[in-house]
Amino acid sequence: AKAIAFGEALEPQFKEYAAAVIQNMKVLVDELLKGGLSIVSGGSDNHLCMVNVKSFGLTGASAEKALEHAGITVNKNMIPRDTESPRVTSGIRLGTAALTTRGFRESEMKQVAGWILKTLKSSQDETALKKIREEVREFCKPFPLFKW
């Protein structure tokens, strides 16, 4: 497995993929910042970012649950100097590798950011979360998890 992974990493397509993962994260971070969220460290220069959700009156656990109901998978995560317990947290962790693998690029990342912001702003509204989930499901149909 390692030999195959190293071999794939030598291919030009892998460099393009890795660059797309990072560019997708930059777009996601920019859109979330525009929407009023606080990104731990101010941004990201890799495939992950940590988001402080306290400014939206949420905990990491409540944000994770709302986003799950909306069809968006994230992880609750502690942030530096977190005042919440590890089971609750003040943040969530977002990554772009899986979405990039599915074929998402900059325009799709803007849509994802919009759904994240909308979900966090309406985290207690089951009707809104259901509508977002349906939108997410339809949007993802042309981007299957597995091409085969």
Side-chain angles (χ1 to χ4, degrees):
K2 285 183 182 180
I4 290 170
F6 292 145
E8 287 178 359
L10 293 172
E11 297 295 324
Q13 302 94 306
F14 182 79
K15 289 180 184 178
E16 293 167 12
Y17 165 76
V21 169
I22 292 169
Q23 182 57 34
N24 280 347
M25 180 54 71
K26 289 184 185 309
V27 170
L28 182 62
V29 163
D30 288 347
E31 294 297 312
L32 295 176
L33 286 169
K34 286 179 197 172
L37 281 171
S38 173
I39 308 297
V40 175
S41 79
S44 177
D45 57 4
N46 60 44
H47 64 293
L48 295 172
C49 76
M50 300 264 289
V51 180
N52 183 340
V53 294
K54 285 294 193 178
S55 63
F56 278 45
L58 300 170
T59 65
S62 62
E64 177 186 53
K65 184 177 179 184
L67 287 160
E68 180 181 334
H69 285 293
I72 301 168
T73 304
V74 304
N75 296 97
K76 68 180 180 284
N77 216 100
M78 292 192 79
I79 60 173
R81 294 176 291 286
D82 205 328
T83 57
E84 298 289 349
S85 73
R87 292 184 188 259
V88 177
T89 79
S90 295
I92 56 174
R93 182 183 61 187
L94 305 174
T96 55
L99 296 178
T100 305
T101 299
R102 290 181 78 164
F104 284 35
R105 293 300 181 261
E106 294 177 37
S107 63
E108 290 84 14
M109 295 312 298
K110 288 180 181 182
Q111 181 65 54
V112 170
W115 282 318
I116 290 170
L117 291 163
K118 189 187 293 187
T119 298
L120 297 180
K121 289 175 182 174
S122 56
S123 64
Q124 300 299 311
D125 184 345
E126 287 297 324
T127 303
L129 297 180
K130 183 178 179 185
K131 183 175 186 256
I132 295 166
R133 183 180 193 86
E134 291 167 7
E135 291 173 7
V136 167
R137 183 174 291 144
E138 278 303 307
F139 186 83
C140 288
K141 283 183 179 177
F143 303 96
L145 285 171
F146 303 104
K147 302 233 185 264
W148 36 267

